Amino acid sequence: MTLQQTVARIMPPDETSMAAARQRFADIAMPIGALGLLQEAVVRLAGMQRTARPRIDRRAVVVFCADNGVVRQGVTQCGQEITALVADNMGRGRSAVCLMAKHIGADVLPVDIGVAQPVKSGRVLDRRIRPGTADMTQQPAMTRGEAVRAVETGIELAAHCAEQGYTLLCTGEMGIGNTTTSAAVTAALTGAPVELVTGRGAGLSTEGLQNKRAAIRAALKLHRPDPAYPLDVLHKVGGLDIAALAGLCLGGAACGLPVMLDGVIAGAAALAAVRLCPAARGYLLASHCSDEPAARLLLDALDLRPFITAGMRLGEGTGAVAAVSLLDLTLAAYDGMLTFDELGMEAYTEQA
């Protein structure tokens, strides 16, 4: 599907199914709202899947790997060769997200969307648009056409997962320098000051943080990305992984698949997706609030409340996988508990 076709297909979640899920929670023998945000998430899953008994038994973690030319500005503590190494490790099933996903029965689909160096593992899907973006402090990160191709690659992979019978998607990414591009995208889309949205990433020194902020300011001043046009933002100061993740969010929504967001990079991508199609928000779930400074701002802009606040900032989709395990536990109670009537007890009521 093209981007335009995808946006046209996205429908709001089903209110009838959500009402039925709320009634199920009211009927089962637990205090009102006892499972909090997890309970609300199950209700939202019902609306996304258009059934009062949602299922997330088949889930895929789609991890987009890409490099970012802005690393030339000293915004990271390691070189972009690390991206290819970690992508290879994902192909072998040995990265953090692979091991965590295996534990909950999720499949990891690593994707080379723009790694600068060759990825050796044949288990990494080759969807490379270009070998990393350009240095956004000198020229646009990519062309507008490349940004559209990256978004449509994410859409394509969401559709592929739907065809394969997956019932939930998790976002993942890996790329040295992508907290810089995500901060630039966040600043461009929200108008927030660079200092407010830029953190130390993978442990930058104070000097490195200053370089990172300076690079973002320079890119925004040079290109003046228009927040009214998310593709303008993505192609000027974004990353191939961010653009593809935006497409995954849109493609998931078009296919009726819930999309569990990971951290700050996924949040920036999701905001771009929602700006392209506001109805896509109805299919997004927030796993956790990353320790990166932009995370809370992005979640507020998306009007999403995360399940987990644990200072996580690994990326790869690890936070999303952790949140799925919590949904598994919630659905176990939702599906298996007896009702008040079956137990022969009075239901809880709201007290004044």
Side-chain angles (χ1 to χ4, degrees), residues 82-144:
I82 301 301
T83 305
L85 287 174
V86 177
D88 282 332
N89 201 35
M90 285 183 186
R92 292 194 295 269
R94 299 301 299 172
S95 77
V97 72
C98 295
L99 297 170
M100 292 171 68
K102 183 178 180 181
H103 192 71
I104 66 163
D107 296 327
V108 177
L109 307 178
V111 183
D112 176 359
I113 192 73
V115 181
Q117 298 187 9
V119 176
K120 298 174 183 177
S121 174
R123 295 184 179 179
V124 177
L125 297 177
D126 183 2
R127 297 291 188 275
R128 187 186 301 193
I129 306 294
R130 55 182 284 169
T133 54
D135 181 350
M136 66 181 181
T137 68
Q138 306 298 315
Q139 62 190 91
M142 63 191 103
T143 68
R144 189 180 188 281

Side-chain angles (χ1 to χ4, degrees), residues 173-199:
E173 41 63 38
M174 199 284 136
I176 301 303
N178 63 7
T179 59
T180 303
T181 50
S182 61
V185 168
T186 301
L189 288 175
T190 66
V194 169
E195 292 78 8
L196 185 65
V197 299
T198 311

Side-chain angles (χ1 to χ4, degrees), residues 2-26:
T2 67
L3 173 56
Q4 291 75 16
Q5 290 169 334
T6 302
V7 168
R9 282 187 55 177
I10 297 174
M11 302 295 291
D14 180 49
E15 292 289 343
T16 301
S17 298
M18 293 172 70
R22 290 190 190 98
Q23 187 59 54
R24 167 67 182 165
F25 272 117

Side-chain angles (χ1 to χ4, degrees), residues 264-322:
V264 70
I265 288 95
L271 185 57
V274 169
R275 293 286 177 85
L276 285 165
C277 179
R281 183 205 165 274
Y283 294 83
L284 304 178
L285 296 165
S287 63
H288 72 290
C289 185
S290 165
D291 216 24
E292 280 291 303
R296 176 57 64 183
L297 186 151
L298 286 164
L299 290 171
D300 289 345
L302 289 163
D303 192 23
L304 294 175
R305 299 173 69 190
F307 312 146
I308 303 169
T309 303
M312 298 178 72
R313 53 187 175 85
L314 175 57
E316 296 185 16
T318 51
V321 169

